[in-house]
Amino acid sequence: NAGVTQTPKFQVLKTGQSMTLQCAQDMNHEYMSWYRQDPGMGLRLIHYSVGAGITDQGEVPNGYNVSRSTTEDFPLRLLSAAPSQTSVYFCASTGSKTQYFGPGTRLLVL
Amino acid sequence: GQQVMQIPQYQHVQEGEDFTTYCNSSTTLSNIQWYKQRPGGHPVFLIQLVKSGEVKKQKRLTFQFGEAKKNSSLHITATQTTDVGTYFCAGPTRGNKLVFGAGTILRVKS
């Protein structure tokens, strides 16, 4: 049982580049979410999904897209990276009222 | 929108001293969750409180949920170096999205 996995662990992008952050869970959880963490601001919800084919916006969705074609996978796409998107990104899945976080992706946009 | 505030932002204690972090919501919460994040790590779920006035203990950690279900606290008795990290509270919005406090950073001097 790997729990929640995220790839890559680190990424450096140039402004305007696009990329996809991968997230997968093997706990058969319906609810998954993406957060970004910036110093002094806690975790802010970007997008979330309550099941395959269903996604919705969180607190800070602009500049990000998500899709949920399977229960296991919930990728996060940056369409045109900006320096303001430099952050640590955490994926999480929720089951039995407990939220399990992945190890995170550290993203630097130059 | 709903806000969750945490104080203090930072606390540095001597090993063996007690530590408390406080969480206040601008709205009544159906539940409150607490997480711990070690330096360089990801948030780890600690506990969820649901009932008004609820108190739960986990070894040296005591969690309280206020009578009005708008505030909560986490108290650590006799801190140890293993307690180092950032402690977050989080509460769900009406749309069941989780809103996190900014966190309290705990440092322990040995």
Side-chain angles (χ1 to χ4, degrees):
Chain A
N1 219 355
V4 180
T5 58
Q6 288 184 241
T7 56
K9 289 185 180 178
F10 304 96
Q11 184 70 47
V12 179
L13 290 178
K14 293 181 180 178
T15 297
Q17 286 185 314
S18 62
M19 80 159 294
T20 300
L21 280 64
Q22 302 291 345
C23 174
Q25 52 95 5
D26 60 359
M27 297 174 281
N28 204 33
H29 291 163
E30 294 292 334
Y31 194 103
M32 295 184 72
S33 44
W34 274 103
Y35 294 88
R36 60 176 289 173
Q37 184 174 34
D38 302 293
M41 298 189 74
L43 293 116
R44 293 183 292 168
L45 183 65
I46 304 171
H47 284 285
Y48 67 102
S49 168
V50 298
I54 307 169
T55 63
D56 204 350
Q57 295 181 347
E59 185 184 349
V60 288
N62 293 341
Y64 307 95
N65 273 357
V66 291
S67 59
R68 186 90 180 274
S69 55
T70 67
T71 300
E72 293 78 22
D73 301 297
F74 190 40
L76 177 72
R77 295 184 191 83
L78 279 71
L79 308 172
S80 177
S84 60
Q85 293 179 304
T86 292
S87 188
V88 181
Y89 292 85
F90 288 103
C91 176
S93 75
T94 304
S96 303
K97 299 179 182 179
T98 301
Q99 191 158 213
Y100 300 88
F101 282 85
T105 294
R106 282 156 178 75
L107 177 67
L108 173 62
V109 183
L110 301 173
Chain B
Q2 178 179 327
Q3 290 187 332
V4 175
M5 289 149 287
Q6 253 185 284
I7 55 170
Q9 192 174 7
Y10 181 85
Q11 187 141 18
H12 205 164
V13 301
Q14 191 72 39
E15 189 174 20
E17 290 181 339
D18 291 356
F19 160 78
T20 304
T21 173
Y22 300 91
C23 183
N24 289 287
S25 170
S26 57
T27 60
T28 302
L29 300 169
S30 59
N31 67 76
I32 193 151
Q33 302 170 23
W34 285 93
Y35 294 79
K36 177 184 178 181
Q37 184 177 24
R38 294 182 186 274
H42 59 274
V44 174
F45 176 84
L46 293 176
I47 205 162
Q48 177 175 279
L49 304 174
V50 178
K51 298 176 184 175
S52 168
E54 189 170 12
V55 178
K56 285 189 176 179
K57 291 192 175 185
Q58 290 179 351
K59 296 183 181 178
R60 294 177 295 104
L61 277 62
T62 302
F63 303 85
Q64 288 188 310
F65 200 10
E67 293 290 340
K69 301 182 76 172
K70 294 180 73 173
N71 55 67
S72 181
S73 65
L74 158 59
H75 179 83
I76 302 178
T77 304
T79 55
Q80 300 175 359
T81 54
T82 53
D83 295 325
V84 162
T86 303
Y87 292 85
F88 294 99
C89 63
T93 66
R94 284 191 177 180
N96 219 26
K97 304 174 190 179
L98 211 55
V99 176
F100 280 79
T104 296
I105 299 170
L106 173 63
R107 292 289 176 259
V108 179
K109 292 181 285 188
S110 60

